[in-house]
Structures are given as structure tokens and as C-alpha cells.
Amino acid sequence: GSRAVALELAIDPELLAERIAREIVHAVQAARKAAGLDVGDRITLELEGDPELLAAAAAHTAYIADETLARELSIGGALDGRGN
């Protein structure tokens, strides 16, 4: 018995945006730790970068804000007040 497995290696734009959002969260969490913030400290987060990064962040604002404890999230200058 031989078996074959086929894998789709292409990453669709939605999956790529989700991966970028997770990387943003990881980078912010590392910056929070380096800054010596307590685990529960709320922050104001401003993101700037290339259009692909900003588009991914805009598509996942709630996830990024929730995971990083961002009270306010500014993406490319546009503020999304979370009210937390």
C-alpha cells in the first residue's frame, strides 16, 4: 500500500492577513515585556507600516486590541477607540 498526499501550498489573502495580525500581537507583547509593563496594563497602540501590514491590522482590529490590551488602536493615523 502506497499512499499519496496532496497539499495546497498557496496562502489566500485572508489567511495571510490573519498571520500578519498574529505577528503584530507577538511584536507588541514583546515590546510590552521589554517596557516592563504589568500583564494587566492597558495601552494606547499606534501602528504604522506598509500597506499590507496596515490592511491586515485593519481587518483584525478587535483581535489585536483584545490580545494587546489596547484601550485605543490607531492604524495608519485612524483611531479606533475601544473604550476598554
Side-chain angles (χ1 to χ4, degrees):
S2 30
R3 298 179 191 239
V5 175
L7 299 174
E8 175 63 48
L9 299 178
I11 297 176
D12 67 10
E14 291 174 5
L15 187 58
L16 180 59
E18 188 176 317
R19 186 187 87 194
I20 292 170
R22 286 193 310 268
E23 290 176 6
I24 291 168
V25 168
H26 178 74
V28 172
Q29 298 295 38
R32 287 175 56 95
K33 184 176 180 179
L37 295 177
D38 287 330
V39 172
D41 286 347
R42 297 250 172 220
I43 62 171
T44 297
L45 181 58
E46 298 177 17
L47 298 175
E48 294 287 340
D50 66 21
E52 183 179 36
L53 179 133
L54 297 179
H60 296 281
T61 55
Y63 167 74
I64 293 169
D66 290 344
E67 292 295 313
T68 62
L69 298 181
R71 180 176 310 135
E72 294 180 328
L73 175 57
S74 172
I75 300 173
L79 184 64
D80 174 29
R82 302 294 300 166
N84 294 337

